[in-house]
Amino acid sequence: MSSSRALTSLVREIEACRVCVGKLPHEPRPVVWVDSRARILIAGQAPGRRVHESGIPWNDASGDRLRTWMELDRDRFYDKGNIAVAAMGFCFPGTVNGADLPPRRECAPLWRDYPADVMSLPHPSWRNTGWLKRNPWFERDLLPELRRRVSSALR
Ligand code: SF4
């Protein structure tokens, strides 16, 4: 089986996963935005409510900030030949006191296989605006390196 077919089959398996039935406040809806042609994998925490409803990752203000960090417009970002999105947990975990719960613990051991070259970023949510202001090195020193790697990977 080619690696592309193996990946397609794995994505179908994940999309059909129902391990967390009864542990989530809704039916599981794994969101896996993956294609074997992708050059960059974005591994966020877990889908939020909007992603759970739409099936489209990063289609919000946090996604806009992430695209700014990466210097990518929406067309290039949502081209599966460029970008894959596979969170640490594939289903929206629900909320407590208005904040998203952490990803379900069942997910990573079942499905996660880490890529070799990882660059860790803070979540681009507005909630982290204070952190970004207190850590100017992130935009000054790290974002240029992120953009260099994105540009190089998608060249
Ligand atoms: S969170 Fe992960 S393990 Fe749980 S149902 Fe969704 S895909 Fe399956």
Side-chain angles (χ1 to χ4, degrees):
M1 185 185 283
S2 73
S3 62
S4 164
R5 283 179 58 200
L7 182 63
T8 303
S9 149
L10 174 64
V11 168
R12 287 206 187 112
E13 243 187 282
I14 296 172
E15 287 172 342
C17 180
R18 293 295 177 269
V19 164
C20 298
V21 166
K23 300 172 187 164
L24 295 166
H26 45 257
E27 273 295 298
R29 186 189 187 185
V31 177
V32 200
W33 189 273
V34 169
D35 186 287
S36 60
R37 296 166 302 151
R39 310 293 304 155
I40 295 171
L41 170 67
I42 298 173
Q45 183 165 296
R49 186 179 303 283
R50 285 177 63 170
V51 181
H52 173 70
E53 288 166 359
S54 69
I56 302 172
W58 297 109
N59 190 23
D60 57 10
S62 295
D64 291 339
R65 180 182 263 172
L66 181 60
R67 282 181 280 278
T68 300
W69 287 352
M70 298 175 77
E71 279 191 327
L72 291 177
D73 60 23
R74 290 179 66 88
D75 285 349
R76 292 192 83 203
F77 185 87
Y78 285 115
D79 180 341
K80 286 187 175 176
N82 290 332
I83 306 288
V85 180
M88 302 309 292
F90 290 120
C91 294
F92 171 47
T95 58
V96 63
N97 298 329
D100 287 3
L101 286 162
R104 291 296 315 177
R105 287 175 185 273
E106 296 84 347
C107 212
L110 262 181
W111 301 117
R112 179 63 56 185
D113 197 6
Y114 290 94
D117 186 8
V118 173
M119 200 162 175
S120 299
L121 304 177
H123 194 286
S125 161
W126 63 268
R127 290 173 191 268
N128 281 335
T129 298
W131 185 92
L132 290 168
K133 284 192 177 144
R134 289 192 304 279
N135 293 277
W137 57 267
F138 174 76
E139 294 194 350
R140 185 188 62 230
D141 302 334
L142 195 140
L143 281 192
E145 174 62 11
L146 172 70
R147 289 169 179 159
R148 188 191 66 71
R149 289 198 198 182
V150 169
S151 167
S152 162
L154 301 187
R155 196 169 294 140

